[in-house]
Amino acid sequence: MWWVGSWRLAVAVATALFVFFPLFAAPAAAGPGGAAVAAAAAAPAPTVPAGGEHRSGAEPLITNSIRLDLDRAGVLGAEEVITFEGGAPDAFTRALTETMLYDTEHDREFEITGIEATTLDGNALEAEVEHRNGALLVTVPTEGLDGTVLTYRVGGTVSEISGGVQMEWRAVGAYSHPVETTDVTVTAPLPPEALSCLAGEPRSAMYCTASDMGPEKSVAHFLQVDMEPSDRLDIVVNYPPGTAGGEPILTRRWSLASAFAVTPVTGGVFGLLIAVLVGGLAVLIRIRGRDERALRREAARGDHAPVAQGEHGELRFSPPDDVHPGQIGTLIDERVDIADLTGSVVDLAVRGYIRLEELPHEHFTSVDWRLVRLDGPPDETLLPSEWLLLDALFGESRTVRLSQLGSSRVSPDFPVRIDRVREELYRDMVRLKWFARSPSQVRGRWSTAGMVVTAAGVLLTVLLAMFTTAAFTGLAVVIAGAAMTVGAQYMPAKTKLGSTVYAHTLGFRDYLLSPRAQTAPPGQRVELYSRYLAYAVIFDDVDRWAGILASAALADLTPEELTGDGLAWYTGPREWRIDDFTDSIRMFVVALTGIITNARRLRVLNQFQQSGQRR
């Protein structure tokens, strides 16, 4: 339709019609056909530019005699004789209506063809034609002429009504100059039965100057005097059945309500898409249900003391499935969190690969640590992710201050090295066959797919809203894409083995959170509880286990040991005591968490800046 060329204009027009239409809907004019004329009156008339200055400098007297012949096919043959007295303008413009309001949802289109202009003597004139605001502007050069003859044909003016047919046409859409009189005569194969007209300003509901059926009641005649350039003349003539064929050419008017119309088709497609979405969710729940089924069967197998008997009767720490802290954290929530990395650092310290040295407090609130790299037990082998974590912390150095890890000057590539640790932990999930694919990659692919579907749904909805009434269907695509994006975090699915290990891990967590975990024999509690502490970081229970460990150290260690380092892997400044261990380890975990978090933010910021520079 004529205003769909720009969606912004379409939205503006649709909004204006929605707000102002009740104010402009004119009451039905008296007599048969009045309702149709009132509907036509609601349509705005186009603005016609002035046709130029006339020769004499005085306003010419212009009249227009319009003869309309309605044939059996329902096509109007029009001939207009426009005369000028007192000098003609350089050009004269007529607006022929192509689109007008029909009802609350449709516009009525008129097919205008065969436009020709001649002088009164029959010499051809070069008429310019322009489509503007639902009208066809015909500009005829008239300088030095006494008049001009304009001919054209109009289709789509006839519609069937109760008891006959009705011809409706805007005989005058607008002029470029004031016109003294406009005389319209309509002939048809059969005499008219009723007629009506409206004239004046585009929104007025005033009847035209005069209308009649001629002396023999065989024609429809309309007269309007003193028409200003913006005035229009709408006419309606009712005829007996069989006078002419044809039907109105209707196009649905764009509006938000019509664009998002809920019909059986749009509702069915919307429902189908939602059903697919819900079905996909059900499949996902079924796949992930392996975790729940494994929990019921396997969780009890992990809910026991994670120890094994050594060669000499001593107890050795033996976690379920030999899962390390970083692996446990990744397995539980299917992503490598900051806590997973922090717990891995504590675990490496407890196992003898790092010594954490709390430094003297230089200021009242200043707390820092020196990390010392050690060789670790000779009979142990580190995981690839643990090697990478040590490399991320120390690089080529043997010692590093914790506060310097967050310094871009001292450790410029720390964010990159931490990302390598994260990637290796994700590879561990696949290498150990706990996941068929890396959880990070699965989430990324589903997130990307969801965003693409969402964007496509938005574009589809806009296009459907602009050109059809099925925009409601596009909303289902938007909802599906948004659901895919949000649900991407749930897409990684554990394998059967992964679900079993996960169940054992949760059983292990339940054990550590229970009082039963504090029943290790004296003399071995410090070593075992130290190993538990790294897992307590993952399970967010570090304060309680740090207190349990400190109490065990007070009970099991000698006074000489307590006045010294207290723990082989954690030492404090001169004034430090084992009683301070709970606060110390908590502050260390918080500080390390903040440094890794800031490193990730810095990494994202650098990537964003580099991307902007490339563009």
Side-chain angles (χ1 to χ4, degrees):
M1 77 192 61
W2 63 272
W3 51 46
V4 178
S6 167
W7 69 269
R8 294 185 179 90
L9 181 59
V11 171
V13 173
T15 304
L17 288 175
F18 180 80
V19 175
F20 296 112
F21 184 82
L23 301 177
F24 296 139
V37 176
T47 301
V48 178
E53 298 296 330
H54 51 82
R55 293 176 305 173
S56 64
E59 281 293 331
L61 190 152
I62 304 175
T63 62
N64 188 10
S65 177
I66 304 175
R67 178 180 175 85
L68 302 175
D69 293 316
L70 181 64
D71 63 19
R72 292 283 185 182
V75 177
L76 276 180
E79 180 183 84
E80 301 188 15
V81 180
I82 306 169
T83 60
F84 308 102
E85 295 182 16
D90 294 340
F92 186 82
T93 301
R94 273 279 281 119
L96 303 175
T97 299
E98 290 185 303
T99 303
M100 65 193 311
L101 298 179
Y102 182 77
D103 57 25
T104 57
E105 296 183 357
H106 298 86
D107 291 317
R108 185 169 187 173
E109 306 285 342
F110 298 98
E111 295 180 345
I112 302 173
T113 59
I115 299 176
E116 295 182 359
T118 65
T119 64
L120 296 179
D121 299 330
N123 297 321
L125 295 174
E126 190 69 28
E128 295 183 2
V129 177
E130 178 186 359
H131 298 271
R132 183 189 299 178
N133 296 340
L136 195 62
L137 303 185
V138 182
T139 301
V140 182
T142 56
E143 182 179 4
L145 300 179
D146 295 329
T148 182
V149 178
L150 183 65
T151 59
Y152 51 89
R153 294 173 63 80
V154 184
T157 64
V158 175
S159 58
E160 292 187 4
I161 60 173
S162 177
V165 296
Q166 183 178 83
M167 189 283 297
E168 178 184 359
W169 170 238
R170 175 161 286 177
V172 176
Y175 288 129
S176 60
H177 295 74
V179 175
E180 184 75 10
T181 61
T182 300
D183 194 301
V184 182
T185 302
V186 184
T187 62
L190 295 176
E193 293 183 336
L195 50 84
S196 183
C197 64
L198 288 178
E201 292 294 329
R203 301 294 183 180
S204 73
M206 299 294 293
Y207 207 78
C208 60
T209 303
S211 64
D212 58 66
M213 298 184 189
E216 300 178 358
K217 299 188 181 298
S218 60
V219 299
H221 176 249
F222 305 91
L223 175 65
Q224 181 64 21
V225 299
D226 297 330
M227 294 191 69
E228 294 297 322
S230 61
D231 289 352
R232 92 320 180 184
L233 175 59
D234 295 321
I235 63 173
V236 174
V237 185
N238 289 2
Y239 291 99
T243 301
E247 58 184 15
I249 305 170
L250 302 180
T251 57
R252 185 176 292 273
R253 186 182 312 111
W254 191 95
S255 68
L256 287 177
S258 63
F260 289 88
V262 180
T263 66
V265 174
T266 59
V269 174
F270 182 88
L272 177 62
L273 290 175
I274 294 299
V276 171
L277 177 62
V278 173
L281 181 61
V283 172
L284 176 62
I285 293 174
R286 176 66 180 172
I287 293 174
R288 292 179 56 83
R290 283 198 298 264
D291 293 344
E292 300 300 328
R293 294 192 296 273
L295 279 175
R296 290 193 295 268
R297 291 194 312 270
E298 303 287 345
R301 300 184 184 181
D303 189 6
H304 57 76
V307 295
Q309 196 79 26
E311 295 180 0
H312 304 289
E314 77 280 5
L315 297 179
R316 292 185 298 103
F317 178 72
S318 178
D321 303 289
D322 195 28
V323 178
H324 292 233
Q327 294 174 332
I328 278 186
T330 306
L331 178 65
I332 288 176
D333 59 9
E334 301 168 350
R335 63 181 68 245
V336 180
D337 295 328
I338 304 300
D340 304 337
L341 301 175
T342 306
S344 296
V345 172
V346 174
D347 184 58
L348 288 172
V350 171
R351 290 160 56 193
Y353 292 93
I354 302 174
R355 184 171 65 249
L356 306 180
E357 298 178 353
E358 184 176 337
L359 300 177
H361 298 187
E362 298 175 358
H363 304 287
F364 180 72
T365 58
S366 174
V367 183
D368 201 358
W369 289 262
R370 180 188 296 113
L371 278 64
V372 181
R373 184 167 183 173
L374 305 175
D375 293 333
D379 57 342
E380 277 195 20
T381 302
L382 290 174
L383 299 173
S385 60
E386 292 171 336
W387 280 114
L388 289 173
L389 182 56
L390 288 173
D391 180 67
L393 295 174
F394 296 99
E396 300 298 328
S397 303
R398 298 295 296 183
T399 63
V400 63
R401 290 182 66 146
L402 184 64
S403 59
Q404 293 177 340
L405 287 177
S407 170
S408 58
R409 180 177 58 84
V410 178
S411 303
D413 56 346
F414 179 67
V416 178
R417 297 200 299 262
I418 283 294
D419 279 351
R420 292 178 188 150
V421 179
R422 290 167 49 83
E423 293 169 3
E424 187 59 38
L425 279 172
Y426 281 126
R427 280 193 286 268
D428 265 357
M429 300 297 103
V430 180
R431 178 178 59 80
L432 295 171
K433 298 182 180 180
W434 296 344
F435 290 86
R437 297 178 182 83
S438 167
S440 177
Q441 293 179 359
V442 171
R443 274 192 301 271
R445 290 170 183 172
W446 278 97
S447 295
T448 302
M451 289 186 287
V452 170
V453 172
T454 302
V458 171
L459 178 61
L460 176 63
T461 301
V462 171
L463 293 176
L464 291 175
M466 291 172 60
F467 300 110
T468 72
T469 60
F472 182 69
T473 303
L475 292 179
V477 181
V478 176
I479 294 173
M484 288 175 60
T485 304
V486 174
Q489 59 182 319
Y490 303 110
M491 291 307 174
K494 300 178 183 67
T495 62
K496 184 177 181 180
L497 175 60
S499 296
T500 302
V501 176
Y502 171 68
H504 294 168
T505 298
L506 294 189
F508 175 41
R509 182 188 65 180
D510 293 340
Y511 174 78
L512 288 184
L513 296 178
S514 70
R516 293 180 290 118
Q518 304 174 37
T519 58
Q524 301 184 44
R525 290 184 298 184
V526 173
E527 180 181 354
L528 286 176
Y529 292 172
S530 294
R531 296 299 301 270
Y532 292 173
L533 183 63
Y535 294 85
V537 173
I538 303 299
F539 299 142
D540 195 23
D541 194 32
V542 65
D543 282 0
R544 188 175 72 92
W545 267 108
I548 294 172
L549 176 58
S551 298
L554 283 171
D556 293 359
L557 299 180
T558 65
E560 291 76 13
E561 291 173 320
L562 288 176
T563 55
D565 294 338
L567 299 174
W569 59 274
Y570 192 100
T571 64
R574 177 176 300 179
E575 69 278 6
W576 186 86
R577 294 294 180 268
I578 193 65
D579 309 72
D580 303 319
F581 176 72
T582 300
D583 291 335
S584 293
I585 197 64
R586 179 177 62 247
M587 288 187 294
F588 174 78
V589 170
V590 171
L592 182 56
T593 297
I595 288 173
I596 297 176
T597 301
N598 291 334
R600 292 193 60 194
R601 291 174 180 170
L602 180 62
R603 169 80 163 159
V604 173
L605 179 60
N606 290 338
Q607 290 176 341
F608 179 77
Q609 291 176 342
Q610 292 172 2
S611 176
Q613 292 173 357
R614 285 195 295 269
R615 285 197 296 266

